[in-house]
Amino acid sequence: MVKGTHQAIDDVRNETVKIFINGEFHDRREAKISVFDSGYLVGDGVWEAFRVHQGKLIFIDQHLDRLWQSAKVIGIDIPFSKEELINNVHRTLKINGMKNDVHVRAMLTRGIKKTPSQDPRLTISGPNLVIIAEFKAAAEESKTQGISLFTSTIRRGAPDYLDPRLNCHSKLHEVQALIQAIEAGADEALMLDVNGFVATCNATNFFMVKGGEVWTSTGEYCMNGITRGNVIKVCSRNGIRCFQKNFSLFDVYGADEAFVTGTFGGLTPVVKIDGKSIGNGACGPVTTNLRKLYEGLVAEQLK
């Protein structure tokens, strides 16, 4: 089992799930899309992932707003409404008998190309929509034991290069960062921005705690994470001092606690960075409290 923020309990039901592709359902092993798809050829597409509990799509409005914004940024005209996408997600859940501990990924690419090329004018079909829903319960190991990070030499790019807020299919630099971390013996990667300040992780957003204060990056060089925003929200609601600011590894190594946030894992404690223990090397009290407060916010979605 892979340890990290996406560590899930194996579920044999996933072997027979049905995948939604452009309005039709296909058995997992038969679910295919053309090799001329823009996403496959040049990473030309956007996606969203979200959780399902008690049949409810958690924070779905925020996720769909981000998907529509990302599609607009790269010039994909989405040929359906948010309500239609939600209906297709529910169709996918129903055909698979899914209600709890479900992870859904919706992927939208520009469409099929006439020939291998990055030129969008050579696209000969409408956008391709794929919805993958799986039974995924987060494993407790990462939540209880925490994870380790390694600071990658791969930097988060500036907005005039590839805006880090764009949730697109082009994730190669994050993959490179993660490979470095794995080869260094860590679970995931910590990434700096172009100025050397701490930005984010390869697949999650980074927070540290110092003197009871919660720090996270300015947000200029990281994914505008839904969970990140909700953690900032619960801090504000509960009088916890939270700052979006520039800080360096000097500050991180001296942190009392650290944690990362993501749709799948929620809040996951970070116990070691670059071989250095953070705090006492375990999940700290502020992280524990914020996890409970965040879970309370999720519970509000179920009402």
Side-chain angles (χ1 to χ4, degrees), residues 229-246:
N230 283 326
V231 167
I232 293 171
K233 179 179 180 178
V234 298
C235 284
S236 177
R237 272 189 179 186
N238 294 274
I240 300 170
R241 290 167 62 83
C242 180
F243 299 94
Q244 298 178 67
K245 58 186 287 187
N246 285 322

Side-chain angles (χ1 to χ4, degrees), residues 21 29 71 80 111 132 163 169 171 189 201 204 221 233 248 254 258 269 296:
I21 303 177
R29 296 182 182 181
F80 46 80
I132 300 175
D163 197 309
H169 281 212
K171 294 291 183 182
C201 295
T204 54
Y221 296 93
K233 179 179 180 178
S248 71

Side-chain angles (χ1 to χ4, degrees), residues 5-6 67-68 97-99 143 193 195 216 230 276 302:
T5 53
H6 289 81
L67 179 64
W68 255 251
M98 296 172 165
K99 288 187 178 181
K143 289 185 177 182
D193 66 25
N195 300 305
T216 191
N230 283 326
K276 299 174 175 61
L302 304 179

Side-chain angles (χ1 to χ4, degrees), residues 128-269:
N128 286 318
L129 174 65
V130 175
I131 301 172
I132 300 175
E134 294 182 300
F135 296 99
K136 278 190 178 180
E140 289 297 316
E141 181 180 354
S142 293
K143 289 185 177 182
T144 56
Q145 298 180 9
I147 64 170
S148 62
L149 302 178
F150 172 80
T151 305
S152 172
T153 61
I154 306 296
R155 299 294 181 96
R156 294 292 287 184
D160 60 352
Y161 161 59
L162 180 64
D163 197 309
R165 294 172 296 176
L166 182 61
N167 207 15
C168 64
H169 281 212
S170 302
K171 294 291 183 182
L172 188 57
H173 58 311
E174 286 104 332
V175 173
Q176 288 178 286
L178 178 56
I179 289 172
Q180 281 190 335
I182 292 170
E183 290 177 344
D187 299 314
E188 296 187 8
L190 183 64
M191 301 179 72
L192 309 181
D193 66 25
V194 295
N195 300 305
F197 295 113
V198 173
T200 186
C201 295
N202 61 280
T204 54
N205 288 119
F206 180 82
F207 288 77
M208 60 166 277
V209 180
K210 186 69 174 179
E213 296 178 349
V214 178
W215 297 5
T216 191
S217 70
T218 63
E220 296 175 18
Y221 296 93
C222 72
M223 171 57 63
N224 52 334
I226 305 302
T227 310
R228 175 184 186 270
N230 283 326
V231 167
I232 293 171
K233 179 179 180 178
V234 298
C235 284
S236 177
R237 272 189 179 186
N238 294 274
I240 300 170
R241 290 167 62 83
C242 180
F243 299 94
Q244 298 178 67
K245 58 186 287 187
N246 285 322
F247 56 91
S248 71
L249 289 174
F250 178 89
D251 302 296
V252 169
Y253 294 154
D256 300 324
E257 305 174 35
F259 61 91
V260 295
T261 62
T263 294
F264 180 70
L267 277 70
T268 303

